[in-house]
Amino acid sequence: MGEEKIKVTVPQVKDLGFAIQLYYRWTEIGNEAIRQLFGVGSNTALKLKKAAQEKMTKENIPVWDAKKVNTEVAFQAWGLDIKDIERRYEKLQKLGVF
């Protein structure tokens, strides 16, 4: 039997500013940060983390903490483009939303 691929719907990012801070502040993130990033529960956070772990394995990214995933790879696995997030955040600031 082949390995089962993790299937999870990636939710909207809850706070663009938090996403930017998380991306640049931490090289690895765990369940709590994932829950905060998306505003999801533990089960969804775990599925999201497993999807990132799959990508890390596929790309031979070293695991430093078994309870966490590489932040950059996780964003890629979830389809989050940090440049796009930054652009949107800056636009919101210019519009005075923040």
Side-chain angles (χ1 to χ4, degrees):
M1 294 198 157
E3 289 184 32
E4 183 179 326
K5 188 168 176 103
I6 302 297
K7 293 180 182 170
V8 60
T9 301
V10 179
Q12 292 276 331
V13 170
K14 190 174 178 184
D15 179 336
L16 297 178
F18 179 73
I20 293 166
Q21 181 183 32
L22 191 67
Y23 185 86
Y24 288 111
R25 187 174 213 178
W26 303 107
T27 57
E28 294 186 317
I29 55 175
N31 292 346
E32 181 60 31
I34 296 168
R35 284 194 302 267
Q36 289 178 337
L37 178 63
F38 295 111
V40 297
S42 297
N43 288 337
T44 301
L46 185 59
K47 288 179 184 178
L48 288 162
K49 186 171 83 172
K50 285 183 178 182
Q53 287 170 328
E54 279 184 359
K55 185 165 180 69
M56 287 177 65
T57 299
K58 183 178 178 183
E59 296 184 7
N60 295 317
I61 304 295
V63 176
W64 302 110
D65 183 338
K67 295 181 182 179
K68 296 183 179 182
V69 291
N70 179 286
T71 306
E72 183 177 0
V73 175
F75 272 54
Q76 291 170 5
W78 303 329
L80 301 180
D81 178 351
I82 191 64
K83 297 299 180 196
D84 181 54
I85 292 170
E86 290 171 339
R87 181 184 55 77
R88 291 169 184 268
Y89 184 74
E90 289 171 10
K91 182 66 174 184
L92 289 171
Q93 286 181 318
K94 286 179 185 176
L95 292 172
V97 176
F98 287 114

PDB file of all heavy atoms in Angstrom, residues 69-91:
ATOM      1  N   VAL A  69       7.112  22.340  12.273  1.00  0.00           N
ATOM      2  CA  VAL A  69       7.421  22.266  10.843  1.00  0.00           C
ATOM      3  C   VAL A  69       8.142  23.539  10.428  1.00  0.00           C
ATOM      4  O   VAL A  69       7.991  24.588  11.050  1.00  0.00           O
ATOM      5  CB  VAL A  69       6.146  22.089   9.984  1.00  0.00           C
ATOM      6  CG1 VAL A  69       5.542  20.717  10.201  1.00  0.00           C
ATOM      7  CG2 VAL A  69       5.126  23.167  10.240  1.00  0.00           C
ATOM      8  N   ASN A  70       8.927  23.427   9.372  1.00  0.00           N
ATOM      9  CA  ASN A  70       9.632  24.573   8.826  1.00  0.00           C
ATOM     10  C   ASN A  70       8.604  25.595   8.336  1.00  0.00           C
ATOM     11  O   ASN A  70       7.713  25.253   7.545  1.00  0.00           O
ATOM     12  CB  ASN A  70      10.535  24.100   7.676  1.00  0.00           C
ATOM     13  CG  ASN A  70      11.280  25.215   7.027  1.00  0.00           C
ATOM     14  OD1 ASN A  70      10.704  26.002   6.273  1.00  0.00           O
ATOM     15  ND2 ASN A  70      12.572  25.290   7.303  1.00  0.00           N
ATOM     16  N   THR A  71       8.731  26.826   8.788  1.00  0.00           N
ATOM     17  CA  THR A  71       7.734  27.853   8.486  1.00  0.00           C
ATOM     18  C   THR A  71       7.634  28.137   6.991  1.00  0.00           C
ATOM     19  O   THR A  71       6.535  28.191   6.436  1.00  0.00           O
ATOM     20  CB  THR A  71       8.058  29.152   9.244  1.00  0.00           C
ATOM     21  OG1 THR A  71       8.193  28.849  10.636  1.00  0.00           O
ATOM     22  CG2 THR A  71       6.973  30.187   9.057  1.00  0.00           C
ATOM     23  N   GLU A  72       8.764  28.309   6.337  1.00  0.00           N
ATOM     24  CA  GLU A  72       8.756  28.629   4.908  1.00  0.00           C
ATOM     25  C   GLU A  72       8.117  27.503   4.100  1.00  0.00           C
ATOM     26  O   GLU A  72       7.275  27.745   3.226  1.00  0.00           O
ATOM     27  CB  GLU A  72      10.180  28.887   4.416  1.00  0.00           C
ATOM     28  CG  GLU A  72      10.250  29.302   2.965  1.00  0.00           C
ATOM     29  CD  GLU A  72      11.663  29.628   2.505  1.00  0.00           C
ATOM     30  OE1 GLU A  72      12.616  29.530   3.300  1.00  0.00           O
ATOM     31  OE2 GLU A  72      11.798  29.970   1.321  1.00  0.00           O
ATOM     32  N   VAL A  73       8.483  26.275   4.408  1.00  0.00           N
ATOM     33  CA  VAL A  73       7.924  25.121   3.696  1.00  0.00           C
ATOM     34  C   VAL A  73       6.431  24.982   3.996  1.00  0.00           C
ATOM     35  O   VAL A  73       5.641  24.669   3.106  1.00  0.00           O
ATOM     36  CB  VAL A  73       8.688  23.832   4.061  1.00  0.00           C
ATOM     37  CG1 VAL A  73       8.044  22.614   3.417  1.00  0.00           C
ATOM     38  CG2 VAL A  73      10.144  23.948   3.637  1.00  0.00           C
ATOM     39  N   ALA A  74       6.038  25.232   5.230  1.00  0.00           N
ATOM     40  CA  ALA A  74       4.622  25.153   5.598  1.00  0.00           C
ATOM     41  C   ALA A  74       3.802  26.159   4.785  1.00  0.00           C
ATOM     42  O   ALA A  74       2.750  25.810   4.236  1.00  0.00           O
ATOM     43  CB  ALA A  74       4.448  25.403   7.091  1.00  0.00           C
ATOM     44  N   PHE A  75       4.278  27.399   4.698  1.00  0.00           N
ATOM     45  CA  PHE A  75       3.561  28.404   3.915  1.00  0.00           C
ATOM     46  C   PHE A  75       3.424  27.932   2.464  1.00  0.00           C
ATOM     47  O   PHE A  75       2.370  28.093   1.854  1.00  0.00           O
ATOM     48  CB  PHE A  75       4.275  29.755   3.986  1.00  0.00           C
ATOM     49  CG  PHE A  75       3.845  30.619   5.159  1.00  0.00           C
ATOM     50  CD1 PHE A  75       3.875  30.160   6.465  1.00  0.00           C
ATOM     51  CD2 PHE A  75       3.428  31.918   4.939  1.00  0.00           C
ATOM     52  CE1 PHE A  75       3.492  30.957   7.526  1.00  0.00           C
ATOM     53  CE2 PHE A  75       3.036  32.734   5.992  1.00  0.00           C
ATOM     54  CZ  PHE A  75       3.064  32.252   7.286  1.00  0.00           C
ATOM     55  N   GLN A  76       4.473  27.351   1.925  1.00  0.00           N
ATOM     56  CA  GLN A  76       4.418  26.842   0.552  1.00  0.00           C
ATOM     57  C   GLN A  76       3.396  25.713   0.440  1.00  0.00           C
ATOM     58  O   GLN A  76       2.599  25.679  -0.505  1.00  0.00           O
ATOM     59  CB  GLN A  76       5.791  26.335   0.113  1.00  0.00           C
ATOM     60  CG  GLN A  76       6.819  27.422  -0.065  1.00  0.00           C
ATOM     61  CD  GLN A  76       8.222  26.852  -0.263  1.00  0.00           C
ATOM     62  OE1 GLN A  76       8.415  25.643  -0.361  1.00  0.00           O
ATOM     63  NE2 GLN A  76       9.204  27.738  -0.308  1.00  0.00           N
ATOM     64  N   ALA A  77       3.419  24.796   1.395  1.00  0.00           N
ATOM     65  CA  ALA A  77       2.489  23.660   1.378  1.00  0.00           C
ATOM     66  C   ALA A  77       1.037  24.129   1.443  1.00  0.00           C
ATOM     67  O   ALA A  77       0.154  23.494   0.865  1.00  0.00           O
ATOM     68  CB  ALA A  77       2.795  22.715   2.543  1.00  0.00           C
ATOM     69  N   TRP A  78       0.818  25.218   2.139  1.00  0.00           N
ATOM     70  CA  TRP A  78      -0.542  25.752   2.303  1.00  0.00           C
ATOM     71  C   TRP A  78      -0.923  26.746   1.222  1.00  0.00           C
ATOM     72  O   TRP A  78      -2.020  27.295   1.235  1.00  0.00           O
ATOM     73  CB  TRP A  78      -0.689  26.394   3.672  1.00  0.00           C
ATOM     74  CG  TRP A  78      -0.372  25.478   4.809  1.00  0.00           C
ATOM     75  CD1 TRP A  78      -0.543  24.125   4.872  1.00  0.00           C
ATOM     76  CD2 TRP A  78       0.209  25.854   6.062  1.00  0.00           C
ATOM     77  NE1 TRP A  78      -0.118  23.639   6.080  1.00  0.00           N
ATOM     78  CE2 TRP A  78       0.350  24.676   6.838  1.00  0.00           C
ATOM     79  CE3 TRP A  78       0.627  27.063   6.621  1.00  0.00           C
ATOM     80  CZ2 TRP A  78       0.874  24.671   8.119  1.00  0.00           C
ATOM     81  CZ3 TRP A  78       1.150  27.066   7.900  1.00  0.00           C
ATOM     82  CH2 TRP A  78       1.273  25.881   8.641  1.00  0.00           C
ATOM     83  N   GLY A  79      -0.017  27.002   0.291  1.00  0.00           N
ATOM     84  CA  GLY A  79      -0.313  27.932  -0.800  1.00  0.00           C
ATOM     85  C   GLY A  79      -0.292  29.385  -0.379  1.00  0.00           C
ATOM     86  O   GLY A  79      -0.931  30.222  -1.019  1.00  0.00           O
ATOM     87  N   LEU A  80       0.425  29.700   0.693  1.00  0.00           N
ATOM     88  CA  LEU A  80       0.513  31.076   1.174  1.00  0.00           C
ATOM     89  C   LEU A  80       1.756  31.744   0.592  1.00  0.00           C
ATOM     90  O   LEU A  80       2.875  31.271   0.794  1.00  0.00           O
ATOM     91  CB  LEU A  80       0.585  31.121   2.705  1.00  0.00           C
ATOM     92  CG  LEU A  80      -0.587  30.487   3.448  1.00  0.00           C
ATOM     93  CD1 LEU A  80      -0.376  30.603   4.953  1.00  0.00           C
ATOM     94  CD2 LEU A  80      -1.899  31.129   3.045  1.00  0.00           C
ATOM     95  N   ASP A  81       1.556  32.831  -0.124  1.00  0.00           N
ATOM     96  CA  ASP A  81       2.635  33.581  -0.752  1.00  0.00           C
ATOM     97  C   ASP A  81       2.934  34.793   0.129  1.00  0.00           C
ATOM     98  O   ASP A  81       2.132  35.729   0.203  1.00  0.00           O
ATOM     99  CB  ASP A  81       2.200  34.024  -2.148  1.00  0.00           C
ATOM    100  CG  ASP A  81       3.233  34.851  -2.880  1.00  0.00           C
ATOM    101  OD1 ASP A  81       4.249  35.246  -2.282  1.00  0.00           O
ATOM    102  OD2 ASP A  81       3.009  35.113  -4.079  1.00  0.00           O
ATOM    103  N   ILE A  82       4.082  34.781   0.802  1.00  0.00           N
ATOM    104  CA  ILE A  82       4.396  35.839   1.761  1.00  0.00           C
ATOM    105  C   ILE A  82       4.458  37.209   1.084  1.00  0.00           C
ATOM    106  O   ILE A  82       4.045  38.207   1.678  1.00  0.00           O
ATOM    107  CB  ILE A  82       5.696  35.532   2.553  1.00  0.00           C
ATOM    108  CG1 ILE A  82       5.852  36.500   3.732  1.00  0.00           C
ATOM    109  CG2 ILE A  82       6.902  35.561   1.647  1.00  0.00           C
ATOM    110  CD1 ILE A  82       4.794  36.395   4.789  1.00  0.00           C
ATOM    111  N   LYS A  83       4.926  37.281  -0.141  1.00  0.00           N
ATOM    112  CA  LYS A  83       4.984  38.574  -0.861  1.00  0.00           C
ATOM    113  C   LYS A  83       3.579  39.113  -1.103  1.00  0.00           C
ATOM    114  O   LYS A  83       3.333  40.314  -0.979  1.00  0.00           O
ATOM    115  CB  LYS A  83       5.752  38.439  -2.178  1.00  0.00           C
ATOM    116  CG  LYS A  83       7.210  38.061  -2.002  1.00  0.00           C
ATOM    117  CD  LYS A  83       7.958  39.109  -1.209  1.00  0.00           C
ATOM    118  CE  LYS A  83       9.414  38.706  -1.053  1.00  0.00           C
ATOM    119  NZ  LYS A  83      10.102  39.454  -0.026  1.00  0.00           N
ATOM    120  N   ASP A  84       2.650  38.233  -1.461  1.00  0.00           N
ATOM    121  CA  ASP A  84       1.266  38.643  -1.665  1.00  0.00           C
ATOM    122  C   ASP A  84       0.639  39.092  -0.345  1.00  0.00           C
ATOM    123  O   ASP A  84      -0.073  40.093  -0.299  1.00  0.00           O
ATOM    124  CB  ASP A  84       0.458  37.500  -2.273  1.00  0.00           C
ATOM    125  CG  ASP A  84      -0.981  37.880  -2.526  1.00  0.00           C
ATOM    126  OD1 ASP A  84      -1.218  38.910  -3.202  1.00  0.00           O
ATOM    127  OD2 ASP A  84      -1.881  37.158  -2.054  1.00  0.00           O
ATOM    128  N   ILE A  85       0.913  38.378   0.720  1.00  0.00           N
ATOM    129  CA  ILE A  85       0.388  38.748   2.040  1.00  0.00           C
ATOM    130  C   ILE A  85       0.920  40.118   2.448  1.00  0.00           C
ATOM    131  O   ILE A  85       0.163  40.975   2.935  1.00  0.00           O
ATOM    132  CB  ILE A  85       0.740  37.673   3.089  1.00  0.00           C
ATOM    133  CG1 ILE A  85      -0.022  36.382   2.787  1.00  0.00           C
ATOM    134  CG2 ILE A  85       0.441  38.166   4.501  1.00  0.00           C
ATOM    135  CD1 ILE A  85       0.419  35.182   3.609  1.00  0.00           C
ATOM    136  N   GLU A  86       2.217  40.356   2.224  1.00  0.00           N
ATOM    137  CA  GLU A  86       2.816  41.656   2.556  1.00  0.00           C
ATOM    138  C   GLU A  86       2.183  42.780   1.731  1.00  0.00           C
ATOM    139  O   GLU A  86       1.871  43.857   2.271  1.00  0.00           O
ATOM    140  CB  GLU A  86       4.320  41.633   2.296  1.00  0.00           C
ATOM    141  CG  GLU A  86       5.088  40.776   3.258  1.00  0.00           C
ATOM    142  CD  GLU A  86       6.541  40.577   2.860  1.00  0.00           C
ATOM    143  OE1 GLU A  86       6.889  40.755   1.669  1.00  0.00           O
ATOM    144  OE2 GLU A  86       7.321  40.228   3.747  1.00  0.00           O
ATOM    145  N   ARG A  87       1.986  42.522   0.456  1.00  0.00           N
ATOM    146  CA  ARG A  87       1.383  43.532  -0.430  1.00  0.00           C
ATOM    147  C   ARG A  87      -0.026  43.894   0.040  1.00  0.00           C
ATOM    148  O   ARG A  87      -0.394  45.065   0.121  1.00  0.00           O
ATOM    149  CB  ARG A  87       1.353  43.001  -1.870  1.00  0.00           C
ATOM    150  CG  ARG A  87       0.772  43.974  -2.882  1.00  0.00           C
ATOM    151  CD  ARG A  87       0.678  43.350  -4.277  1.00  0.00           C
ATOM    152  NE  ARG A  87      -0.073  42.104  -4.325  1.00  0.00           N
ATOM    153  CZ  ARG A  87      -1.397  42.007  -4.299  1.00  0.00           C
ATOM    154  NH1 ARG A  87      -2.136  43.086  -4.189  1.00  0.00           N
ATOM    155  NH2 ARG A  87      -1.991  40.827  -4.367  1.00  0.00           N
ATOM    156  N   ARG A  88      -0.787  42.899   0.366  1.00  0.00           N
ATOM    157  CA  ARG A  88      -2.154  43.143   0.830  1.00  0.00           C
ATOM    158  C   ARG A  88      -2.170  43.880   2.173  1.00  0.00           C
ATOM    159  O   ARG A  88      -2.981  44.779   2.387  1.00  0.00           O
ATOM    160  CB  ARG A  88      -2.907  41.813   0.967  1.00  0.00           C
ATOM    161  CG  ARG A  88      -3.197  41.155  -0.356  1.00  0.00           C
ATOM    162  CD  ARG A  88      -3.709  39.722  -0.158  1.00  0.00           C
ATOM    163  NE  ARG A  88      -3.908  39.052  -1.404  1.00  0.00           N
ATOM    164  CZ  ARG A  88      -5.056  39.035  -2.075  1.00  0.00           C
ATOM    165  NH1 ARG A  88      -6.112  39.660  -1.600  1.00  0.00           N
ATOM    166  NH2 ARG A  88      -5.140  38.401  -3.220  1.00  0.00           N
ATOM    167  N   TYR A  89      -1.271  43.496   3.058  1.00  0.00           N
ATOM    168  CA  TYR A  89      -1.185  44.134   4.367  1.00  0.00           C
ATOM    169  C   TYR A  89      -0.816  45.610   4.214  1.00  0.00           C
ATOM    170  O   TYR A  89      -1.431  46.480   4.837  1.00  0.00           O
ATOM    171  CB  TYR A  89      -0.156  43.403   5.231  1.00  0.00           C
ATOM    172  CG  TYR A  89      -0.055  43.920   6.639  1.00  0.00           C
ATOM    173  CD1 TYR A  89      -1.053  43.647   7.571  1.00  0.00           C
ATOM    174  CD2 TYR A  89       1.033  44.677   7.044  1.00  0.00           C
ATOM    175  CE1 TYR A  89      -0.953  44.108   8.870  1.00  0.00           C
ATOM    176  CE2 TYR A  89       1.135  45.151   8.342  1.00  0.00           C
ATOM    177  CZ  TYR A  89       0.139  44.862   9.246  1.00  0.00           C
ATOM    178  OH  TYR A  89       0.229  45.340  10.536  1.00  0.00           O
ATOM    179  N   GLU A  90       0.177  45.891   3.362  1.00  0.00           N
ATOM    180  CA  GLU A  90       0.589  47.286   3.123  1.00  0.00           C
ATOM    181  C   GLU A  90      -0.546  48.104   2.516  1.00  0.00           C
ATOM    182  O   GLU A  90      -0.750  49.265   2.871  1.00  0.00           O
ATOM    183  CB  GLU A  90       1.820  47.316   2.213  1.00  0.00           C
ATOM    184  CG  GLU A  90       3.078  46.834   2.898  1.00  0.00           C
ATOM    185  CD  GLU A  90       4.255  46.653   1.954  1.00  0.00           C
ATOM    186  OE1 GLU A  90       4.166  47.079   0.770  1.00  0.00           O
ATOM    187  OE2 GLU A  90       5.268  46.081   2.392  1.00  0.00           O
ATOM    188  N   LYS A  91      -1.293  47.506   1.611  1.00  0.00           N
ATOM    189  CA  LYS A  91      -2.431  48.199   0.996  1.00  0.00           C
ATOM    190  C   LYS A  91      -3.488  48.532   2.035  1.00  0.00           C
ATOM    191  O   LYS A  91      -4.033  49.646   2.053  1.00  0.00           O
ATOM    192  CB  LYS A  91      -3.022  47.332  -0.117  1.00  0.00           C
ATOM    193  CG  LYS A  91      -4.170  47.979  -0.862  1.00  0.00           C
ATOM    194  CD  LYS A  91      -3.704  49.181  -1.646  1.00  0.00           C
ATOM    195  CE  LYS A  91      -4.817  49.725  -2.505  1.00  0.00           C
ATOM    196  NZ  LYS A  91      -4.389  50.831  -3.358  1.00  0.00           N
TER     197      LYS A  91
END
